[in-house]
Amino acid sequence: MRRKISVTFGHLRKNGTNKGSSYDRLYVYIEGEGTVGYHKAPIPQLFIVVEGEGWVTGENQKRIPIKRGEAALWEKEEWHTSGSETGMTAIVIQSEELHPETFMERKKHA
């Protein structure tokens, strides 16, 4: 029998504004062995892991490990997915005006 896998989404505050910019913030909880299916980002998305660890992919579908304190950025229209073997909680901030390079260091992956 296949086990039901849970992924929970919820809004922290919908349609906030900051200096004229519009943004959306939500939380994502991925249960152990859970996956958020392969999909396109409707607008730029910043996925910040606040608890646990897991993996993310971009359009090449290569899994990149991610853990608490790390983040992934997907550009508008970029295909991606995320998942975890043990459980992971993340905050997602999405906005057309998202520019995390102004406050975060970029990490290179092989």
Side-chain angles (χ1 to χ4, degrees):
M1 178 181 241
R2 190 169 179 182
R3 185 169 83 81
K4 184 178 179 183
I5 295 173
S6 174
V7 176
T8 305
F9 294 90
H11 284 278
L12 293 173
R13 182 175 179 195
K14 193 167 183 160
N15 298 328
T17 58
N18 182 19
K19 296 182 184 176
S21 315
S22 177
Y23 61 92
D24 196 14
R25 299 176 291 195
L26 49 125
Y27 69 86
V28 179
Y29 173 69
I30 303 172
E31 186 177 290
E33 299 182 21
T35 302
V36 176
Y38 194 57
H39 64 283
K40 236 194 259 192
I43 59 178
Q45 295 179 332
L46 182 62
F47 182 91
I48 307 164
V49 179
V50 295
E51 187 173 319
E53 60 184 34
W55 50 266
V56 295
T57 74
E59 292 184 340
N60 64 5
Q61 296 189 35
K62 179 183 174 187
R63 287 186 179 189
I64 298 169
I66 193 166
K67 63 183 182 220
R68 181 180 176 196
E70 295 181 336
L73 174 66
W74 292 295
E75 299 295 342
K76 182 177 182 173
E77 308 260 326
E78 183 177 0
W79 285 89
H80 65 281
T81 190
S82 55
S84 178
E85 297 302 317
T86 57
M88 176 170 61
T89 302
I91 302 295
V92 178
I93 301 170
Q94 52 186 23
S95 172
E96 291 286 357
E97 295 89 21
L98 191 60
H99 303 288
E101 65 277 2
T102 61
F103 58 88
M104 296 177 70
E105 181 180 331
R106 181 174 218 119
K107 183 177 178 181
K108 300 251 184 206
H109 295 282

